[in-house]
Amino acid sequence: GPISFRGGFGYYSSPYVSRQANSNANYMIYSGGIGFRAKEAYIDFGYSHSQMDEKYFLYGVADSKSSITNNRNTFITTIGFRF
């Protein structure tokens, strides 16, 4: 049909060994989109949300922990023409 929907999820586990600095640095991505197609043109709208939680242990001391959460939102539009 002329309308299409999409969705997705990505999970990347932490590359660090637990109990090490920057442990639990898991990375997740959620995405979705909608597209419209006609005979000679199409347009697609996409959205992506990514989140990464990190825990840093300063100077190797377990009691000096800092947590950082990174969030990123991305909007993408694609327009195409067929000749």
Side-chain angles (χ1 to χ4, degrees):
I3 299 174
S4 59
F5 297 94
R6 65 176 174 83
F9 173 75
Y11 176 79
Y12 302 92
S13 62
S14 176
Y16 303 104
V17 177
S18 62
R19 297 181 187 233
Q20 191 179 37
N22 198 11
S23 66
N24 299 327
N26 300 325
Y27 185 63
M28 292 183 285
I29 302 173
Y30 306 92
S31 65
I34 185 169
F36 303 96
R37 181 176 51 189
K39 201 171 199 179
E40 297 176 2
Y42 59 91
I43 187 167
D44 181 64
F45 301 100
Y47 169 74
S48 173
H49 173 78
S50 60
Q51 178 178 346
M52 183 175 187
D53 296 320
E54 300 176 88
K55 294 182 178 133
Y56 289 95
F57 296 95
L58 305 174
Y59 310 112
V61 179
D63 293 338
S64 61
K65 180 171 62 171
S66 175
S67 297
I68 299 173
T69 300
N70 295 313
N71 291 305
R72 182 186 313 178
N73 296 300
T74 306
F75 296 92
I76 300 171
T77 302
T78 304
I79 299 172
F81 300 95
R82 296 190 182 118
F83 296 103

